[in-house]
Amino acid sequence: DTAVSQTPKYLVTQMGNDKSIKCEQNLGHDTMYWYKQDSKKFLKIMFSYNNKELIINETVPNRFSPKSPDKAHLNLHINSLELGDSAVYFCASSQNTGSSQPQHFGDGTRLSIL
Amino acid sequence: AQSVTQLDSQVPVFEEAPVELRCNYSSSVSVYLFWYVQYPNQGLQLLLKYLSGSTLVKGINGFEAEFNKSQTSFHLRKPSVHISDTAEYFCAVSDSGGYNKLIFGAGTRLAVHP
């Protein structure tokens, strides 16, 4: 009964490939997020969706495309992978977009580009 | 724009000793403040949050934090740490008028030694 689940947990692939990471939450939350954690553990928000609509879109290369088929799912597709994309990607969710709402995180997807 | 500074990248401490992890923030608007903990190979888990009211907030696992508006600080404390507290700790802010966009500090690695 994992609250926020991401698949896969590990992803190893070659430069230039296209890959997707999936995220699902069973908390009934309206808002979902993608964060990137680099090798120095620094966390930065990439995107946020509220009820399937994009509300936060940080300065991220357009090779990254999020998709939300419904409010319980937020997937991340990455085209033409580059070495610098190696990182841990975290999905999170919150009740709504209110800034006082705590965010619930998945366990992360560790992406390694060869 | 908001920013968060965690003054110590690493804090070594002996078991049963007290610990303080320091966090300072800057913002031109009202903010909400959070501390999250990340255990190895896991996602982030909320320790505690400050929204308003009493400046001393208590969280899970015996942690507490004090909000100091004049010093723009939100330091995390525990009177007696355990080996199991070894983890990465992140301070984060979100502004009261935004879309719950969390800005994280760089993290503090707490290492508890026997």
Side-chain angles (χ1 to χ4, degrees):
Chain A
D1 58 343
T2 305
V4 181
S5 58
Q6 298 178 225
T7 53
K9 193 173 177 66
Y10 299 97
L11 188 51
V12 182
T13 189
Q14 293 197 329
M15 226 165 37
N17 284 351
D18 303 337
K19 290 293 178 186
S20 291
I21 307 171
K22 295 187 175 183
C23 179
E24 175 181 5
Q25 55 93 5
N26 63 4
L27 297 167
H29 289 169
D30 287 343
T31 312
M32 296 184 73
Y33 312 81
W34 278 112
Y35 288 86
K36 179 180 180 181
Q37 186 175 46
D38 64 22
S39 59
K40 295 185 178 178
K41 300 279 189 178
F42 186 68
L43 272 157
K44 192 174 190 315
I45 190 166
M46 300 172 69
F47 303 104
S48 175
Y49 272 73
N50 186 60
N51 274 324
K52 303 193 295 177
E53 289 193 28
L54 180 66
I55 56 169
I56 295 175
N57 185 355
E58 291 294 290
T59 309
V60 177
N62 58 15
R63 298 182 294 103
F64 290 78
S65 52
K67 283 188 173 55
S68 182
D70 55 63
K71 74 175 191 176
H73 295 84
L74 180 60
N75 304 323
L76 184 64
H77 188 76
I78 316 171
N79 289 326
S80 304
L81 280 156
E82 299 177 358
L83 289 175
D85 297 332
S86 294
V88 182
Y89 292 85
F90 285 100
C91 178
S93 72
S94 65
Q95 187 70 53
N96 52 50
T97 59
S99 294
S100 64
Q101 295 295 321
Q103 295 182 22
H104 299 253
F105 286 78
D107 284 343
T109 295
R110 185 174 297 274
L111 174 62
S112 299
I113 310 300
L114 304 177
Chain B
Q2 295 90 37
S3 67
V4 178
T5 303
Q6 290 185 243
L7 296 153
D8 306 296
S9 60
Q10 295 186 65
V11 173
V13 64
F14 287 110
E15 196 173 18
E16 297 183 9
V19 71
E20 178 179 81
L21 306 184
R22 297 179 293 168
C23 172
N24 285 90
Y25 69 93
S26 69
S27 176
S28 56
V29 298
S30 297
V31 295
Y32 299 119
L33 295 152
F34 304 83
W35 274 99
Y36 284 85
V37 60
Q38 184 179 26
Y39 298 105
N41 297 316
Q42 293 187 27
L44 280 73
Q45 180 182 355
L46 180 70
L47 272 179
L48 49 78
K49 60 186 178 184
Y50 173 78
L51 305 182
S52 64
S54 173
T55 57
L56 183 64
V57 291
K58 294 189 184 298
I60 61 171
N61 302 340
F63 283 94
E64 63 182 33
E66 184 151 23
F67 169 62
N68 187 320
K69 188 174 181 180
S70 62
Q71 296 187 7
T72 59
S73 67
F74 190 53
H75 300 332
L76 181 71
R77 301 187 186 102
K78 187 169 182 177
S80 174
V81 294
H82 303 290
I83 297 285
S84 59
D85 292 323
T86 294
E88 195 84 25
Y89 291 78
F90 292 94
C91 182
V93 302
S94 66
D95 77 67
S96 57
Y99 283 123
N100 203 7
K101 175 180 161 181
L102 279 176
I103 305 299
F104 284 92
T108 297
R109 169 80 179 158
L110 176 64
V112 182
H113 301 284

